[in-house]
């Protein structure tokens, strides 16, 4: 069965600092990986996805993630965060069944 | 705006009651997914419909059921409600007729409060 682990429940960071949100997955089949962001009282918005090809994927709002098959990781990074990046971030995995399995989420708290 | 709409936005009801949540997918999307987000369980997949047919079930209680209609909108029915059913229910859509994709686009959610 597939599963996703987001070890950090909360990541505090100062504005303009870099950030990395960690995601590890387990699956016995080929997977597709996603990062979604949820702002307060809103739905989930797709940040980026890995389906195949280049292991470094770029998304919206300056975020990027690197797929590492040997370490079964898909960490999300941003070189310089803004106050407006404060939100909950979810890593998710899918396979040919299409359904998304989500991690528990990481709350990014950007401080001035 | 993802193009996925959900109604109502908020719903407050009593234990034992039955409610219906409605979802309209993005124009052209054939798949509808339902997810439940709660503080203790996180985001959980409930059920997937594709072009009117049930394709997959997740951790969906027997008291819950769903369907997708010919116009592709979907309804999630929750009955014999319990306090623990209080959660945010999301609908997502994907798989456009012309451009199959694994990306799912989420609606704004329906917040259900059972009192």
């Amino acid at each position: 069965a597939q599963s996703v682990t987001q070890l950090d429940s909360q990541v505090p960071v100062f504005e303009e600092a870099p950030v990395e949100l960690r995601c590890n997955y387990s699956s016995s089949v080929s997977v597709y990986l996603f990062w979604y962001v949820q702002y307060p009282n809103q739905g989930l918005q797709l940040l980026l996805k890995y389906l195949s090809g280049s292991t470094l994927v770029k998304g919206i709002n300056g975020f990027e993630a690197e797929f590492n098959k040997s370490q079964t990781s898909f960490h999300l990074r941003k070189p310089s965060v803004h106050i407006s990046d404060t939100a909950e971030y979810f890593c998710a995995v899918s396979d040919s069944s299409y359904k998304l399995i989500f991690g528990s989420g990481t709350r990014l708290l950007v401080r001035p | 705006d993802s193009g996925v709409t959900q109604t109502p936005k908020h719903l407050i009801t009593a234990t034992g009651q039955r409610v219906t949540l409605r979802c309209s997918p993005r124009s052209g999307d054939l798949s509808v997914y339902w997810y439940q987000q709660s503080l203790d369980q996180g985001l959980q997949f409930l059920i997937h419909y594709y072009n009117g047919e049930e394709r997959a079930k997740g951790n969906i209680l027997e008291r819950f059921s769903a369907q997708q209609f010919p116009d592709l909108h979907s309804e999630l029915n929750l009955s014999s409600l319990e306090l623990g059913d209080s959660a945010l229910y999301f609908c997502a859509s994907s798989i456009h007729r012309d451009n199959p994709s694994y990306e799912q686009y989420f609606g704004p959610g329906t917040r259900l409060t059972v009192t």
Side-chain angles (χ1 to χ4, degrees):
Chain A
Q2 297 171 319
S3 66
V4 178
T5 302
Q6 293 182 250
L7 286 172
D8 305 308
S9 59
Q10 182 164 301
V11 173
V13 63
F14 287 107
E15 194 174 18
E16 296 183 9
V19 71
E20 178 180 84
L21 306 184
R22 296 180 295 168
C23 171
N24 288 88
Y25 68 93
S26 67
S27 176
S28 58
V29 298
S30 296
V31 296
Y32 309 101
L33 294 156
F34 306 84
W35 275 98
Y36 282 85
V37 60
Q38 185 178 28
Y39 298 102
N41 301 314
Q42 293 189 28
L44 286 88
Q45 181 182 11
L46 180 66
L47 272 179
L48 49 79
K49 63 182 185 286
Y50 172 79
L51 302 181
S52 65
S54 173
T55 56
L56 182 64
V57 293
K58 293 189 183 297
I60 61 171
N61 301 341
F63 285 93
E64 64 181 33
E66 185 155 18
F67 170 61
N68 188 319
K69 190 173 181 179
S70 62
Q71 297 187 6
T72 59
S73 67
F74 190 56
H75 301 331
L76 181 70
R77 301 186 184 102
K78 186 169 183 178
S80 175
V81 295
H82 303 289
I83 297 286
S84 60
D85 292 323
T86 294
E88 186 98 21
Y89 291 79
F90 292 94
C91 181
V93 64
S94 179
D95 59 17
S96 56
S97 71
Y98 295 104
K99 68 177 184 287
L100 290 171
I101 305 298
F102 286 92
S104 55
T106 297
R107 183 172 301 276
L108 177 62
L109 181 59
V110 182
R111 297 166 173 165
Chain B
D1 184 357
S2 66
V4 179
T5 60
Q6 289 186 249
T7 56
K9 198 174 176 67
H10 300 279
L11 201 47
I12 301 174
T13 189
T15 53
Q17 295 299 305
R18 173 190 167 95
V19 296
T20 297
L21 313 184
R22 182 187 168 102
C23 168
S24 292
R26 292 188 318 158
S27 177
D29 279 0
L30 300 175
S31 270
V32 168
Y33 308 79
W34 287 96
Y35 293 88
Q36 179 195 60
Q37 184 178 33
S38 62
L39 283 175
D40 53 345
Q41 304 271 16
L43 264 164
Q44 286 202 95
F45 165 73
L46 294 179
I47 198 163
H48 169 206
Y49 276 84
Y50 175 78
N51 205 19
E53 292 186 7
E54 180 186 304
R55 282 298 179 91
K57 266 186 175 179
N59 297 326
I60 187 166
L61 299 171
E62 284 191 16
R63 300 182 284 108
F64 295 1
S65 65
Q67 52 185 329
Q68 186 179 27
F69 296 87
D71 66 351
L72 300 176
H73 91 271
S74 177
E75 293 181 356
L76 180 66
N77 301 296
L78 316 176
S79 62
S80 303
L81 285 167
E82 302 175 359
L83 295 177
D85 298 327
S86 296
L88 200 48
Y89 291 85
F90 286 109
C91 165
S93 76
S94 75
I95 311 185
H96 194 278
R97 279 188 184 90
D98 303 322
N99 183 26
S101 168
Y102 288 93
E103 298 176 36
Q104 293 185 23
Y105 295 87
F106 282 75
T110 293
R111 183 171 294 281
L112 174 66
T113 303
V114 182
T115 62

